[in-house]
Structures are given as structure tokens and as C-alpha cells.
Amino acid sequence: MSSESVVTHVVGALAVVIAASYALGALARRLGQPPVVGQLFAGIALGPSLLGLFPTQIQPILTSLAQVALVLFLFVVGYELDLGMLRGQRSVTAVSLSGFVLPMAMGAGIVLLLPDAFASANGGHPIDTTFVFYMAIALSITAVPVLASIIRDQGLAGTRPGTIAMASAGVIDALSWPILAVVLVGGEHGSVRDWAVKAVLLVLYVLVMLFAVRPALERWMGRPGARASAHLPVVVTLALASAWATNALGLHVIFGALLAGVIMPRLPDGSPDGRLLRPLQDIGGLLLPVFFAVSGMAVKLAGLRSSDVALLAVICAAAVVSKVAAGSLSARGTRLPWRESLLIGVLLNTRGLTELIVLNVGLQAGVIGPRLYALLVVMALLTTAATGPLIGLLRRPADGPPAVPVDLVIGTGTGGTLEPRQGPDAGHMPTADAGPAPRF
């Protein structure tokens, strides 16, 4: 295929991907589902499982565009990350820790109990310590962006269950990323000396970002007469360069993007600068459908076997039971009512975009194979799609959301800040200081 033909196919593929993703995303929302469900199905439909529209020669280019979208998205997530939400919040601490530890234990446990089934589904990839820890992380994820959209659409913004679930999901993700990084570095093939060198280089890189790059950014952005419009190119350059650095160290680009967001200077009140967040959200939101398409095109449903269906049922059961039980029992342990506790557990069971990122990292690192990847993508879709109906079962139609005032201010990871209101508007949509969040 000539270079001119490749360009033609890429331009046409982008038009089809963006149009199909947004159309099916809008349809999913009309059906009461998060748009990510429709967007991922669009990728599966466009891939080899159904239509197989795109030639294999352009897939590396689409994958590169998807990685750029992920870098911008994870940079925003890191920029908004605020673990200060844990201070003085007993329920959030209990729910986040249990919602992280129990699913990890369940994910590792099913691998240890069914090693032959996982070995078969993983297509020859080793079922070793790295794989066990990876599966533990994969079951522990809660998707903050998708959860924020569900909470908003279900009228739970500003209520106690919605607020605790959002805060806990943010903490769970903050715990998951560094552990996943350690797992992937530890799983690199080679001698102990090679692994130790990479680990030391990674630690040095983090220290340089924290104690050299961050102070330099603070001085540059705080200089007299500095304009916000001049900051955006520097911020994008930082995110891409940091992503390149971690990729060169043997990790995925997402870790560098997250770290770049974490070290970004904030406003004097500690909040992210909305003038930087909004354009990054717009660019990332426009390109993220390419990531959904690439993720969906990697799902080859025709290659699944009958034995995989039973394994899928086990994975889904472990994912749902561990999240719902962990969230519900820990919330109940802090003396919340049973209905609110169950609602928190159901909300934590939301996966979606963040889970897809983790699965793509595992597939690219060779930890999981195509068949197991397909099973885990289906698990992510099913658990995300089940959230809305389960919320409906827990809430009587006449009741509406419980108007419980809370005092948390929680970053959604999507550019907005959920600020629960006091008084009669407590159960309604909160304001967002950085514009509406993209509906992934």
C-alpha cells in the first residue's frame, strides 16, 4: 500500500470511527447506559469480529493516535488527583481500601484456583506471578470518568452514596496505577541486574520530576505577565515527553502521563487550572473514540471457545461479588444504612474506560493474550452496563435520590469538580468549576 493510499485510508477511518463512536455512544445514553458501552461496541463492530472495515496496514497509525489520546486523558486525571479527600472521611477510607484489597484478593484467588483454565484462555502466555498480580489489579479497577457520568445521569450527584463512591473510586485508581507499574517492571524478562537498573532509573526519574521539573514549572508559570494561552504547548510537551520517558524505561506511556499531571502546579487554592483542563479535555475527548475503536478491534470474538464462556462467568462473578461486597460491607461498617451501603457497592462495580486502559496495557506488554483480553473486555462491558439497572432496583421510583448533605469536594477525573450542595438542592446536579465533563 502506497503512502498516499495509507493517508487516504487513515483519514477515512478517522471519519468512520468518530462518527460511529459518537452515534452509538448517544444511542447507549438514550438506552440508559454510559456512552462508553456504545463506543466500545462500535469498535468491536468495526473490527474483525463483525465488519472488518480497516486494512491492517493502518492499524499502527490508529494505535498511535489512540496512545496520544490516552496520554492527554491520563494527564488530566493526574492533574485532578487529590488524596486530601481522605482526611477526616472515615467512610471513604474504609470503602476505598476494602474496595481495592478484596477484589485484588479475589482476582488472584481465581487464578490460583483455576490455573489450567486461565492457561488455556491465555494462549500460551505464562501464568506466573506477574500474571497473578495483573489479574488482581484488573479486578480491582473502578472507572472514575464513567462513574461520574452514571452518578450525574442517575441523579446521585451531591448525595452521600454518590459522593463516597466517587471519592473511593479516585483513591482506588490512585492505588492501582503505581502497583501496576511495579508489576510490569517486575515482570520484564531479563536478569535481576537488568530489573534493578530499570527500577533505579524509574525512581530517579520520579525524583527529577518532583524536585526539578515541578519547581521549574512553578517559576515559569508564576512569572509576571504569564499568559495561560502560552502554557498549553508546554503542558502538552511535558505530558508527551514524560510518556516517552516511561515507555523508554519499559513501562507504558500512561504512567508518564499520569506523573506529569500529578506534578503540575495548581492554583493557590489547590485546584487545577480550568484554562488548561478545558482544551486538554476537548482534544482528548475528540480522539478517545479512536482508543475505543482500537480496543474493540483487538477483540476477536470468533476465536473464543466454549470453555471460555464458563471462565467468563467465573471472572464476572468474582468481579461483581468482590466489588459489591467490599463496598457494601465496609460502608455498613461505618454505620451507613443498608440501602446506601449497597448503592455504594454497586457504584464501585463500574469499570469501563479505566479498565480498558489496564487491559490494553496488559495486552501490549504480553501479560495477557487475545482470547483472555476479549473475555476481560466483555466483563468490563457487562459490569458497567449492569450498574444502571442495579441502581434502579435499589431505589424505589417514588423515593428519588436521598438528599443527604455532604462536605466533600471531589475531582471527577474528567475536568469537573463535584461540589455537593446544601439545603433543598442537595440531590440535584452540582456545579462544575471547569466546564462539563466529557461523557465517556
Side-chain angles (χ1 to χ4, degrees), residues 58 70 120 145 155 161 166 185 216 219 229-230 260 278 298 307 345 365 375 378 399:
I58 72 169
L70 281 186
S120 173
M166 274 298 304
V185 169
R219 288 193 298 269
S229 59
R278 280 190 289 269
S307 60
L375 294 180
V378 173
D399 288 345

Side-chain angles (χ1 to χ4, degrees), residues 18-40:
I18 293 175
S21 295
Y22 278 99
L24 291 186
L27 177 61
R29 183 172 291 279
R30 290 180 65 89
L31 296 175
Q33 292 293 335
V36 65
V37 174
Q39 291 170 335
L40 182 58

Side-chain angles (χ1 to χ4, degrees), residues 235-287:
V235 167
V236 173
T237 300
L238 172 66
L240 294 173
S242 182
W244 170 85
T246 54
N247 191 67
L249 290 173
L251 289 175
H252 198 274
V253 296
I254 63 172
F255 299 105
L258 273 168
L259 180 59
V262 168
I263 63 111
M264 270 296 296
R266 293 169 172 252
L267 296 177
D269 63 356
S271 64
D273 190 343
R275 295 171 299 177
L276 293 177
L277 284 179
R278 280 190 289 269
L280 291 174
Q281 288 168 346
D282 291 340
I283 299 171
L286 184 64
L287 291 178

Side-chain angles (χ1 to χ4, degrees), residues 185-186 188 190-204:
V185 169
E188 288 289 316
S191 65
V192 175
R193 181 179 178 275
D194 292 336
W195 178 87
V197 169
K198 286 187 176 182
V200 170
L201 289 175
L202 181 61
V203 171
L204 290 176

Side-chain angles (χ1 to χ4, degrees), residues 91-119:
S91 296
V92 173
T93 304
V95 171
S96 57
L97 292 180
S98 62
F100 178 67
V101 173
L102 182 57
M104 279 196 69
M106 188 77 79
I110 60 174
V111 175
L112 297 176
L113 288 174
L114 303 169
D116 294 337
F118 279 96

Side-chain angles (χ1 to χ4, degrees), residues 30 79-80 121 123 153 370 437:
R30 290 180 65 89
Y79 192 20
E80 290 193 318
D153 294 343

Side-chain angles (χ1 to χ4, degrees), residues 131-146:
F131 178 80
V132 172
F133 277 103
Y134 175 83
M135 285 299 300
I137 292 291
L139 261 66
S140 70
I141 289 294
T142 296
V144 175
V146 180

Side-chain angles (χ1 to χ4, degrees), residues 14 24 35 59 86 103 115 144 168-169 183 196 219-220 227 244 260 290 330 332 334 345 379 383 389 409 413:
L14 287 176
L24 291 186
Q59 289 188 11
L86 280 174
V144 175
S168 301
V183 169
R219 288 193 298 269
W220 185 78
R227 295 183 301 171
W244 170 85
V290 182
S330 58
R332 180 59 180 167
T334 61
M379 179 273 291
T383 54
V409 178

